[in-house]
């Protein structure tokens, strides 16, 4: 029997869309752009890329994807947000617009631009629970950090005591950009989570 590839979508309005599509394909998934609610059909996971969280959130609302994605999540879909995408997954956003559209599917607080502005962007080697091997070289660009108080949210990585990666059920959020590196371990982790084959970290 031929094993079918996982089908993972990437929200394709703005940000590092092509980089995520390439990384997912290299990690063994079938990667597809997502703009319309109908594009969610048959997907097991969806990536919301980095970029500008207000722009991506406004586009998702305008194109009808925000409500459709919430319903898709209720039906069991998995979401992976990087940087701006992770901000949109949070139930609370600090330093954002008061009426900023968001998915609100992870019970955490995202501190927008938590590490500073564009000039404060940096790279760091971090240990990420749930992936094997050496430290992950993480790229932070106008990155947020997360405040986690819900015990069901698992902290996967931190920098200077600030949470930069977290998991909640089948959802994954990173403050950094794994798609901008050649390291596919975090994309592979999400594919495992989206297909029900997630590993227990630790």
């Amino acid at each position: 029997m031929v094993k079918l590839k996982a089908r993972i979508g990437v929200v394709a309005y703005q940000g590092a869309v092509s980089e995520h599509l390439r990384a997912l394909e290299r990690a063994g998934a079938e990667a597809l752009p997502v703009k319309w609610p109908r594009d969610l059909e048959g997907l097991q996971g969806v990536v919301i890329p980095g970029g500008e969280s207000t722009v991506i959130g406004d586009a998702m609302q305008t194109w009808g994807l925000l409500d459709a994605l919430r319903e898709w999540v209720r039906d069991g879909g998995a979401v992976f947000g990087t940087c701006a995408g992770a901000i949109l997954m949070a139930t609370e956003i600090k330093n954002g617009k008061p009426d900023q559209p968001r998915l609100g599917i992870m019970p955490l607080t995202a501190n927008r631009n938590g590490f500073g502005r564009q000039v404060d962007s940096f790279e760091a080697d971090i240990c990420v629970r749930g992936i094997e091997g050496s430290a992950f070289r993480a790229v932070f660009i106008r990155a947020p950090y997360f405040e986690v108080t819900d015990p069901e949210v698992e902290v996967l990585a931190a920098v200077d005591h600030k949470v930069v990666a977290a998991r909640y059920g089948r959802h994954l959020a990173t403050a950094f950009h794994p798609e901008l590196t050649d390291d596919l371990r975090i994309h592979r982790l999400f594919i495992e989570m989206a297909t029900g084959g997630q590993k227990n970290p630790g």
Side-chain angles (χ1 to χ4, degrees):
M1 179 181 295
V2 177
K3 185 177 180 181
L4 298 177
K5 286 186 175 183
R7 300 181 81 243
I8 309 293
V10 178
V11 174
Y13 303 123
Q14 191 246 4
V17 176
S18 60
E19 290 86 350
H20 272 296
L21 290 169
R22 283 196 297 269
L24 289 164
E25 290 280 356
R26 290 178 58 220
E30 179 185 0
L32 304 161
V34 172
K35 289 187 176 181
W36 298 96
R38 62 174 178 266
D39 297 334
L40 297 172
E41 185 175 350
L43 298 181
Q44 293 153 302
V46 166
V47 175
I48 307 176
E52 173 53 57
S53 62
T54 53
V55 172
I56 297 172
D58 286 343
M60 290 173 69
Q61 188 171 63
T62 299
W63 290 56
L65 188 62
L66 204 60
D67 288 339
L69 194 53
R70 287 195 193 99
E71 183 176 349
W72 178 83
V73 165
R74 285 194 290 268
D75 290 337
V79 178
F80 172 23
T82 61
C83 197
I87 292 171
L88 292 171
M89 294 173 70
T91 52
E92 184 177 349
I93 301 172
K94 289 186 178 178
N95 302 319
K97 294 193 307 183
D99 58 346
Q100 181 172 349
R102 72 197 71 176
L103 273 178
I105 58 173
M106 284 189 75
L108 51 77
T109 298
N111 287 267
R112 194 168 175 264
N113 297 329
F115 287 95
R117 307 298 298 179
Q118 189 83 15
V119 295
D120 300 306
S121 301
F122 66 98
E123 296 184 15
D125 292 321
I126 63 174
C127 294
V128 181
R129 297 189 69 200
I131 65 171
E132 299 175 352
S134 59
F136 191 95
R137 187 67 174 176
V139 179
F140 294 85
I141 302 173
R142 291 180 58 197
Y145 68 85
F146 313 125
E147 296 174 24
V148 176
T149 56
D150 191 308
E152 293 189 13
V153 177
E154 181 181 10
V155 173
L156 301 184
V159 172
D160 296 333
H161 306 292
K162 295 177 179 179
V163 177
V164 295
R167 180 161 76 179
Y168 177 64
R170 299 176 71 191
H171 306 316
L172 179 64
T174 66
F176 52 91
H177 293 265
E179 77 283 1
L180 299 183
T181 75
D182 291 326
D183 193 331
L184 301 175
R185 288 178 291 170
I186 290 180
H187 284 88
R188 288 183 178 131
L189 173 63
F190 178 64
I191 292 169
E192 291 171 356
M193 292 168 60
T195 56
Q198 63 262 48
K199 299 176 183 178
N200 292 321

